[in-house]
Each structure stands twice: as structure tokens, then as C-alpha cells.
Amino acid sequence: MSPTLLGLAALPTAVGLSAVAARWLAGRGALLDHPNARSLHQVAVPRSGGLAVLFGLVVTLCLCRLAGLNPDQLPWIAGALLPVAAVSLLDDLGEVSRRQRFAVHLGAGLILAAGGLLWGSLGLPGADWPLPAPLAWLLTVLYVVWMINLYNFMDGMDGFAGGMALFGFGALAVLGWQGGDPVFALVAACIAAAAGGFLFSNFPPARIFLGDLGSSSLGLLAAALSLWGAATGLFPLWVAWLAFSPFIVDATWTLARRLVRGERIWEAHRSHHYQRLVLAGWGHRKTVLRGYLVMAAAAACAVAAPGLPSHEQWLVLLVWAAIYALIHVRVRLAEGQPPAEFQ
């Protein structure tokens, strides 16, 4: 069966399975996430939504495999995803030490690198220089670990992480189709579809959260598919970063700011831009809808960027740097702080 026909059957299946599973899990009331001083929600909400997303995705991809879809990269991605999902589920169920989680995340990065999903070149506009093998392995592992954790950090508001998956993986799917790889496109589209089904129960007011299982798994998949696309020449790695930049920039900026302040970066907090907007009175719905506009714009620019000359690609990056600087200023204004201080 052709990838196009598979897609016509697979995408509605992923949406439907994820939506039904999320609704069922929301009604079970298991794995409750109780509000605390660092939460944005006010009542206990189940955090088992990651099971719904993975159910919709895994079942759909297994059906695609039976129909003849069997890319070489998929077993390596599954091999990296399984331990990350397992340790994240254990963390949702109880308490897993930071060292255990970090070790598993490192192992996932090594698995992807061993499967050829490497950050093999600099990959900036007009500067696609190959990297030495040891440096490529090191950067790959660090990148995978950071994507897993930043997605987890950014999963703190109704509809936010699911929306980023919908737009981010949707952009990768279009990039794969444009690049002549319908199999990559289908895999990315299935992840986006499973996230979309979950959003039916996660959009504000959320009846279920992703939990560590869902957010860490989506972060691993974002790293894996961006490396897959870059390694096979579908797009440079920075294009995937642009597609997921609403999460990458906020998480990286916040981490850097907390490091400068000497804060314990491993502790939960409420200092991401989206959290600050909710606390400033915007609420979940207004904040997430504004976030969707930024995600949609970043995804559209990522899709268009590979076809631009290198000087225009640099212009796109500069424009987005300015946009994120303005977002920072807007957050400070919403909090009633002077915008001149970038802190």
C-alpha cells in the first residue's frame, strides 16, 4: 500500500484512538496530579494522558508496519523511546531519582546515535560543515537529553505541549513530503495526529494531562525525527529547531536565567514565559491560544525556509530572534514590570 493511502487510513485512526483513550483515562481518575505551590491548575487532574498518545501512535504505526511501512530508522527510535517511556511512567507512578532518569536519557541518545541518527554537520544556513565523529556523538546525546527534558519543563499548561506536538510534528510531516520522503512524512503526521486526538481532552479546561510519560516521549520523538530528517537530507537541523522553537527558546532562556541567578535548575518552578502570563492574569485559554499563533507561524516559516537562499534563511532566524525578544518584553509588561531589563 502506498504511503498516501496509508496516511488516509492511519491519521484518522491515530486521532480516534488517542481521543477515545484520553477520554476513557480522564474518567478513570487514576494517577492524579494534585495542585501544589508550583502548579497552574487548581484541582486534581489525571496525568495519564501520555498513555493515550502512545496508544494512538503505536497502534497506528504497527498497522502501518503490517501494511509494508518499515523504515530502517523506526526500530532505533522505538528502542530509544521504550526506556524513556518506561522510566517516565515509573516517575508518574512514584518517584524515580534524577540520576536514574538522566542515565536512561543518556542511553536513549546513544541508541539514536548508534542507529545513524546523528547531528553530523553544523547545518547552519550556508555553513553545512561536517563534524568530527566524536563531536557528532556528543552533540547528539546532549541534544536528545535536552529535548526530552525541555519538553517536560514546558508541559505545565492546558493544551500547550499537545499543541506544540501538533504544530511541530505537522511541520516535519510537510517537510518530509516536500523532501520526497512520504514514509518520514507519515510517521511525523501520525505523531501529530495522536497529539491532536489527545487535545480533545486536554484543551482548557483540561480533563487530563500528559504526565512525564507523555511529555518525555514527545521530547524524545521531536529529537529523533529532527535528527532523522537532517541525517537523510530532508532539511537542515536548524529548520526542525525553528519548528519547535516556541518550546526550545522558552526552556533554554529560562534555564540560562535560572543558572545566572544561582537557582536550583532541577527543582520545579513557575518562571517560564507561559507560566508567567497565566499568573499575570491571562489564564490558560488566552495564553495557549496566543501560543498556538506563535507555533503556527514558526511551523510555517520552518516549512518555507529550506527553499530560501541562505541570506534569506539568516533573515528568517534574525526575525524570529526579534520576535522572541518582543515576547519577553510583552511578558514583562503583562506582569507590570519595566520592559528594559531582560531578566
Side-chain angles (χ1 to χ4, degrees), residues 76-92:
W76 293 97
I77 295 174
L81 177 61
L82 181 59
V84 170
V87 77
S88 300
L89 179 58
L90 289 175
D91 199 31
D92 283 329

Side-chain angles (χ1 to χ4, degrees), residues 150-179:
L150 79 82
Y151 218 103
N152 197 1
F153 297 157
M154 295 297 290
D155 178 30
M157 180 175 66
D158 298 359
F160 203 42
M164 184 71 266
L166 180 63
F167 288 105
F169 288 106
L172 296 188
V174 176
L175 286 164
W177 189 265
Q178 288 179 168

Side-chain angles (χ1 to χ4, degrees), residues 322-333:
I323 289 172
Y324 287 122
L326 290 173
I327 288 173
H328 178 81
V329 171
R330 183 66 184 91
V331 171
R332 290 184 61 79
L333 288 173

Side-chain angles (χ1 to χ4, degrees), residues 127-224:
D128 194 17
W129 304 323
L131 299 174
L135 180 58
W137 275 71
L138 176 62
L139 290 177
T140 298
V141 172
L142 292 176
Y143 173 56
V144 171
V145 171
W146 180 226
M147 287 298 290
I148 293 170
N149 285 277
L150 79 82
Y151 218 103
N152 197 1
F153 297 157
M154 295 297 290
D155 178 30
M157 180 175 66
D158 298 359
F160 203 42
M164 184 71 266
L166 180 63
F167 288 105
F169 288 106
L172 296 188
V174 176
L175 286 164
W177 189 265
Q178 288 179 168
D181 191 340
V183 174
F184 174 91
L186 179 57
V187 173
C190 285
I191 301 172
F198 165 74
L199 279 175
F200 284 108
S201 295
N202 182 244
F203 190 78
R207 290 175 288 169
I208 190 169
F209 295 157
L210 277 172
D212 284 351
L213 170 61
S215 58
S216 297
S217 296
L218 287 174
L220 182 279
L221 289 169

Side-chain angles (χ1 to χ4, degrees), residues 31 44 52 57 169 178 226 253 291 304 323 325:
L31 289 176
L57 174 62
F169 288 106
Q178 288 179 168
S226 59
W253 174 277
I323 289 172

